[in-house]
Amino acid sequence: MAGNQTNNQSRTNNLVVPQATAALQQLKYEIAQELGIPIPQDGYYGNYTTRDTGTIGGYITKRLVQIGEQQLTGSRNTR
């Protein structure tokens, strides 16, 4: 089946810009702090609920979209 091709491929979350790792981590800490969700110092999220980790991820996406929109708007105004 063509729909099951992903089963044979390894799944990884590769960043398009690897240098962005630190910025994304910082964004994760900021958003978690705003939401009152403590980030584990050891990096293990197994004791967290799916709702908590999903909320952090959702807010990261929302913030990245806002940043992208601001950059697009700003770049259009300078031309």
Side-chain angles (χ1 to χ4, degrees):
M1 291 184 178
N4 290 333
Q5 289 178 356
T6 57
N7 290 340
N8 297 330
Q9 299 172 357
S10 68
R11 293 182 180 177
T12 59
N13 291 327
N14 294 325
L15 294 175
V16 175
V17 181
Q19 298 82 358
T21 302
L24 289 171
Q25 288 296 323
Q26 181 62 34
L27 186 59
K28 178 171 54 175
Y29 288 121
E30 289 174 11
I31 289 172
Q33 185 176 22
E34 290 172 14
L35 297 173
I37 301 171
I39 296 292
Q41 296 301 314
D42 61 359
Y44 177 68
Y45 288 88
N47 297 325
Y48 286 76
T49 65
T50 303
R51 178 174 291 249
D52 286 344
T53 56
T55 299
I56 293 170
Y59 274 86
I60 289 172
T61 302
K62 183 178 179 180
R63 184 83 50 90
L64 289 173
V65 168
Q66 289 173 341
I67 292 167
E69 287 174 342
Q70 289 171 353
Q71 289 179 348
L72 286 171
T73 303
S75 66
R76 288 186 182 158
N77 290 338
T78 59
R79 290 183 182 196

